[in-house]
């Protein structure tokens, strides 16, 4: 990892506060959130694997989404917990690179996966009788595989370019994890080419999937409007509601962090938003996809029995 930068060997994560009492409170909160995240996503994965009623394309994507959320939370939360209760706030240069790479890879993969799930909802509503044939296991596996491949490739590009920057003698990261805005703020040799890479990655990983999702939902709305009965329309729209909530929460927080002008950055405010999509959102997803889902509730009841 030292090939990237030879001036900094470790970083100091400031975290949220230096108050010992508040650090202890935050430790308890993050521990509870992480426990719920692991429990919720693991349970959902087990249900999807074990219950034959959930062996459908939609739940195949939801299972992979739970896996990504489990990984994303694990990349961040254990280090946050250590930072809250330990006087040592440091993270090694190689550790920062690893955290950055895996968090970016999982995050970018989730962007593509949510776009694939939008296409799945379109097929389910526009071709309900041919849904199982149109969304074959082979196609679902291909879409998930492409999502992972695209996420990891783009993660490698941004990790390589970010840690090729010169960080001089300042190694204090005003955040709770290694992220682009605080790292770029530390860099004393910012290159214009790096801004171009950021723009390319923002476009390919966020803007293009969002445009695709919006276009897909326009077709979905057009299809729903052709349904004559009100009950049929509501039933069709309800199959998309969970996905719509996920997309709004996830992409909304990402755009707020990375798509604003640099002059409007506020690291203190960004910490709260970053906490939402890195720690809180992975906990919410199992609830979003299960609370209003009859199949999941029945599978959970069967598992306990």
């Amino acid at each position: 990892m030292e090939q990237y930068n030879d001036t900094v060997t470790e970083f100091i994560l400031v975290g949220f506060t230096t108050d010992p009492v508040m650090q202890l409170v935050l430790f308890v909160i993050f521990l509870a959130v992480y426990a719920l995240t692991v429990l919720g996503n693991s349970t959902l994965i087990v249900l999807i694997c074990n219950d034959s009623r959930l062996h459908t394309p939609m739940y195949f994507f939801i299972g992979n989404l739970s896996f990504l959320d489990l990984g994303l939370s694990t990349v961040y939360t254990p280090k946050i917990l250590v930072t809250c209760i330990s006087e040592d706030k440091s993270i090694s240069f190689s550790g920062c690179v690893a955290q950055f790479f895996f968090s970016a890879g999982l995050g970018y993969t989730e962007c593509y996966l949510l776009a694939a799930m939008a296409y799945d909802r379109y097929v389910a509503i526009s071709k309900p009788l041919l849904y199982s044939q149109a969304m074959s296991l082979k196609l679902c596996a291909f879409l998930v595989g492409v999502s992972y491949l695209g996420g990891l490739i783009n993660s490698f590009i941004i990790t390589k370019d970010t840690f090729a920057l010169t960080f001089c003698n300042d190694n204090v990261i005003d955040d709770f994890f290694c992220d682009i805005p605080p790292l770029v703020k530390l860099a004393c040799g910012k290159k214009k080419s790096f801004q171009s890479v950021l723009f390319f990655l923002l476009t390919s990983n966020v803007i293009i999937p969002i445009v695709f999702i919006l276009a897909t939902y326009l077709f979905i709305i057009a299809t729903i409007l052709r349904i004559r009965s009100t009950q049929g329309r509501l039933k069709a729209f309800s199959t998309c509601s969970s996905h719509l909530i996920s997309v709004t929460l996830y992409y909304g927080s990402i755009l707020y962090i990375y798509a604003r002008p640099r002059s409007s950055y506020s690291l203190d405010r960004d910490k709260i938003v970053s906490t939402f999509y890195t720690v809180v959102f992975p906990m919410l997803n199992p609830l979003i996809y299960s609370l209003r889902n009859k199949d999941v509730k029945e599978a959970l009841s069967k598992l306990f029995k």
Side-chain angles (χ1 to χ4, degrees):
M1 298 298 178
E2 292 181 358
Q3 62 179 313
Y4 290 125
N5 202 299
D6 57 1
T7 57
V8 172
T9 58
E10 66 176 17
F11 294 97
I12 307 298
L13 297 173
V14 173
F16 295 92
T17 178
T18 56
D19 183 3
V21 176
M22 282 303 301
Q23 285 182 343
L24 184 59
V25 172
L26 289 173
F27 173 82
V28 174
I29 293 174
F30 280 115
L31 182 61
V33 170
Y34 184 58
L36 291 173
T37 300
V38 173
L39 178 63
N41 285 287
S42 299
T43 301
L44 196 53
I45 292 172
V46 170
L47 290 177
I48 292 172
C49 291
N50 290 342
D51 197 303
S52 58
R53 290 173 298 179
L54 303 183
H55 293 173
T56 64
M58 181 180 75
Y59 290 109
F60 179 77
F61 289 117
I62 292 175
N64 279 277
L65 183 65
S66 290
F67 176 77
L68 288 174
D69 286 335
L70 195 59
L72 196 62
S73 182
T74 302
V75 168
Y76 296 114
T77 312
K79 185 60 181 177
I80 294 175
L81 295 174
V82 172
T83 304
C84 286
I85 61 174
S86 173
E87 294 183 0
D88 184 11
K89 311 294 184 184
S90 64
I91 181 173
S92 65
F93 189 88
S94 58
C96 189
V97 173
Q99 186 188 64
F100 187 95
F101 172 78
F102 286 110
S103 63
L106 293 170
Y108 293 157
T109 301
E110 190 155 333
C111 288
Y112 293 129
L113 186 63
L114 288 172
M117 292 173 72
Y119 176 73
D120 170 71
R121 292 298 81 209
Y122 165 70
V123 175
I125 291 175
S126 62
K127 303 176 182 178
L129 299 179
L130 301 175
Y131 175 57
S132 297
Q133 295 177 347
M135 295 300 296
S136 63
L137 179 60
K138 186 176 181 180
L139 177 59
C140 293
F142 172 76
L143 292 174
V144 171
V146 169
S147 297
Y148 276 97
L149 182 62
L152 292 175
I153 289 175
N154 285 316
S155 177
F156 175 79
I157 294 172
I158 190 59
T159 301
K160 182 177 180 297
D161 280 58
T162 299
F163 288 92
L165 297 171
T166 302
F167 297 110
C168 304
N169 297 318
D170 192 357
N171 67 338
V172 179
I173 296 178
D174 190 10
D175 211 330
F176 60 93
F177 70 104
C178 297
D179 197 17
I180 292 176
L183 285 171
V184 172
K185 188 177 180 180
L186 291 181
C188 57
K190 304 179 182 66
K191 300 178 180 180
K192 291 184 178 180
S193 59
F194 180 74
Q195 299 297 330
S196 300
V197 171
L198 281 180
F199 178 77
F200 166 76
L201 292 175
L202 179 67
T203 302
S204 62
N205 293 292
V206 181
I207 304 301
I208 290 178
I210 286 178
V211 172
F212 177 81
I213 291 172
L214 290 175
T216 302
Y217 270 98
L218 287 177
F219 285 109
I220 289 175
I221 292 172
T223 302
I224 291 176
L225 291 177
R226 287 198 294 268
I227 300 175
R228 294 183 178 181
S229 67
T230 303
Q231 186 178 0
R233 291 179 181 178
L234 292 175
K235 184 178 179 180
F237 183 76
S238 66
T239 62
C240 304
S241 58
S242 297
H243 180 258
L244 269 175
I245 294 172
S246 290
V247 168
T248 303
L249 295 177
Y250 189 71
Y251 279 106
S253 56
I254 287 180
L255 286 173
Y256 179 83
I257 294 291
Y258 301 108
R260 291 176 298 140
R262 289 173 56 192
S263 59
S264 64
Y265 281 161
S266 172
L267 291 179
D268 290 335
R269 186 171 61 246
D270 289 355
K271 287 181 189 178
I272 300 175
V273 181
S274 297
T275 304
F276 184 81
Y277 82 84
T278 57
V279 179
V280 178
F281 183 74
M283 178 192 69
L284 294 178
N285 256 344
L287 299 176
I288 293 172
Y289 285 100
S290 62
L291 285 180
R292 298 176 59 188
N293 194 305
K294 182 181 178 181
D295 292 334
V296 174
K297 289 179 181 179
E298 290 179 354
L300 187 61
S301 176
K302 180 180 177 182
L303 179 67
F304 282 123
K305 289 180 180 179

